[in-house]
Amino acid sequence: WLEASGEVAAQLLGAGDPTEILRLIAGRALELSGADYALIALPEDLEAAPEDITDLKVAVAAGLDSATIAGRIIPVSGSTAGEVFTDHVPRAVPHLRYDVSQGLGVRFGPALALPLGADDQVQGVLLVVRVPGAGAFGEHELQVVSSFADQASLALQRAESQAERRELEVLADRDRIARDLHDQVIQRLFAIGLSLQGTKRRAKTPGVAERVQDHIDQLHEVIQDIRTAIFDLQVNEAGAGQVRTRLHRVITELTQDTALRTTVRMSGALDTLPGGLVEAAEAVVREAVSNAVRHARAQELTVTVSMDDQLVIDVSDDGVGMPAQVAHSGLHNLRQRALAAAGSCVVRPGEGGGTRVVWAAPLTGGSDTDRAPAGG
């Protein structure tokens, strides 16, 4: 029992593959109990509240015909596993109330059902089963396997804590990098841009002035790319529930010091957007609005964000259109984001002049990246 507990703890703390660790727990429980089968059943949604969980799924199985049992569903209501998952009390029973082996040509007899989890947080259920006609599990076997399950649960909890701590360290490092990029790199680039502006005013040859202006425009593109990278590094603290607020904040930040008359329209259940699309939406709005502010020389800007079976971001202005000499790295970023989201990005002249950017992505993957977006 001590050897088995130590092996599981070593695998967990060594950041081993979670599925392999669950198989190790099932295999060791099988050896400790002298059983024929060992199953670990977990909720399909590990983040769901316990009262919302209606089914458990056999994540791993060890023993005879184990491959045919993995993936089977056990209802919480009316099953021995469900009782243990609900009240956290280990049991030795002559047979399981819900026979997960039914229809597989496999028969289950006496069983142990034990909670997997520490304190009041049960993550799943360990089932140790013998074939019909085999001897029932005694109190000693129940205690031994329960102790092993408790130790495995503590190791699981500690491994989760370590993973969360590592994630926090990574996020803190990302925040530091984002701050350094913003406070040091961008400020230095701004200073270089101001110097170039002064150089341009002193240039006597039109060709030189034009080249300096081209370098200034490219510098602005680099600054915008860095800002996009900073956004990608930062933690999504607000979550998807603040989508409208976040997009309004981005648009206001980019247009507040301009004379643009800005119209913003948002429709659909944007608060239910997946986290990845929330980040993509903010980056796309930032890029498209920034391009309009810097290059369009427009008087009016319209931003429409809608969600139905796909997310559609439509940004249009009444300006002069996209200058041919401006670097298009920003538009390349928009198209790359659309490609990553299995969506599309179309940039074309507006109906009344200016430029229109229509970026669309399906709410679920697998879309054709060349399809025409809604509203375009």
Side-chain angles (χ1 to χ4, degrees):
W1 168 71
L2 289 173
E3 182 184 346
S5 300
E7 186 179 0
V8 170
Q11 288 286 333
L12 283 165
L13 299 181
D17 178 69
T19 302
E20 290 303 317
I21 293 169
L22 290 177
R23 288 198 181 100
L24 175 62
I25 292 173
R28 282 303 210 170
L30 194 71
E31 295 171 12
L32 288 169
S33 61
D36 299 296
Y37 304 93
L39 321 174
I40 294 179
L42 306 173
E44 291 198 73
D45 183 1
L46 296 175
E47 302 297 327
E51 59 272 15
D52 296 332
I53 295 172
T54 58
D55 296 299
L56 302 174
K57 182 178 181 180
V58 179
V60 299
L64 305 173
D65 304 308
S66 57
T68 63
I69 301 171
R72 300 280 284 188
I73 301 298
I74 304 174
V76 171
S77 177
S79 69
T80 306
E83 291 174 350
V84 172
F85 183 78
T86 302
D87 63 21
H88 314 165
V89 178
R91 299 173 160 73
V93 295
H95 57 82
L96 296 172
R97 286 185 61 196
Y98 179 87
D99 191 350
V100 71
S101 67
Q102 190 172 5
L104 297 178
V106 177
R107 296 184 61 198
F108 282 174
L112 295 175
L114 312 119
L116 271 180
D119 301 325
D120 293 329
Q121 298 179 346
V122 173
Q123 300 165 305
V125 177
L126 171 64
L127 298 175
V128 178
V129 189
R130 289 174 176 162
V131 296
F137 289 100
E139 184 65 26
H140 172 71
E141 293 162 316
L142 178 62
Q143 289 181 0
V144 168
V145 182
S146 293
S147 298
F148 169 69
D150 289 343
Q151 292 298 316
S153 299
L154 287 171
L156 279 170
Q157 188 181 53
R158 186 172 177 186
E160 286 182 358
S161 299
Q162 286 192 340
E164 290 172 359
R165 185 164 59 250
R166 285 193 293 267
E167 183 179 358
L168 287 174
E169 290 171 354
V170 170
L171 294 176
D173 200 39
R174 287 160 66 99
D175 284 344
R176 179 189 58 77
I177 294 170
R179 284 195 304 271
D180 289 345
L181 284 172
H182 183 272
D183 297 341
Q184 299 179 31
V185 178
I186 286 184
Q187 297 306 320
R188 292 180 64 185
L189 289 174
F190 268 124
I192 295 171
L194 290 173
S195 298
L196 286 174
Q197 290 281 9
T199 303
K200 177 190 171 186
R201 285 193 294 269
R202 289 193 294 271
K204 297 180 181 179
T205 306
V208 173
E210 185 177 342
R211 287 194 64 184
V212 172
Q213 182 59 51
D214 184 49
H215 291 323
I216 291 171
D217 290 338
Q218 291 183 38
L219 197 58
H220 281 302
E221 294 285 348
V222 172
I223 291 172
Q224 184 56 40
D225 289 344
I226 294 174
R227 280 180 167 163
T228 301
I230 290 172
F231 165 75
D232 289 338
L233 283 169
Q234 289 172 334
V235 184
N236 180 10
E237 294 178 352
Q242 303 293 328
V243 175
R244 285 177 169 81
T245 301
R246 292 175 64 178
L247 296 183
H248 275 292
R249 186 168 59 243
V250 168
I251 296 167
T252 301
E253 172 191 328
L254 295 172
T255 60
Q256 61 185 353
D257 295 328
T258 71
L260 275 172
R261 293 190 298 273
T262 306
T263 302
V264 181
R265 304 186 184 97
M266 298 189 190
S267 62
L270 295 174
D271 289 351
T272 64
L273 273 177
L277 277 183
V278 173
E279 295 183 3
E282 185 168 349
V284 168
V285 168
R286 184 182 296 276
E287 185 69 50
V289 173
S290 178
N291 283 340
V293 168
R294 294 203 313 272
H295 305 302
R297 286 186 278 170
Q299 294 181 334
E300 295 188 2
L301 175 69
T302 302
V303 181
T304 303
V305 182
S306 61
M307 191 186 91
D308 189 3
D309 60 333
Q310 61 178 343
L311 171 67
V312 179
I313 299 172
D314 188 333
V315 179
S316 59
D317 62 68
D318 63 350
V320 297
M322 184 65 67
Q325 71 272 20
V326 173
H328 288 179
S329 59
L331 295 180
H332 175 72
N333 289 341
L334 292 179
R335 293 188 175 103
Q336 287 298 109
R337 286 186 179 276
L339 183 63
S344 60
C345 178
V346 177
V347 182
R348 62 174 181 267
E351 294 179 2
T355 303
R356 185 179 184 188
V357 177
V358 182
W359 189 96
L363 302 185
T364 56
S367 283
D368 183 357
T369 58
D370 296 325
R371 70 178 180 177

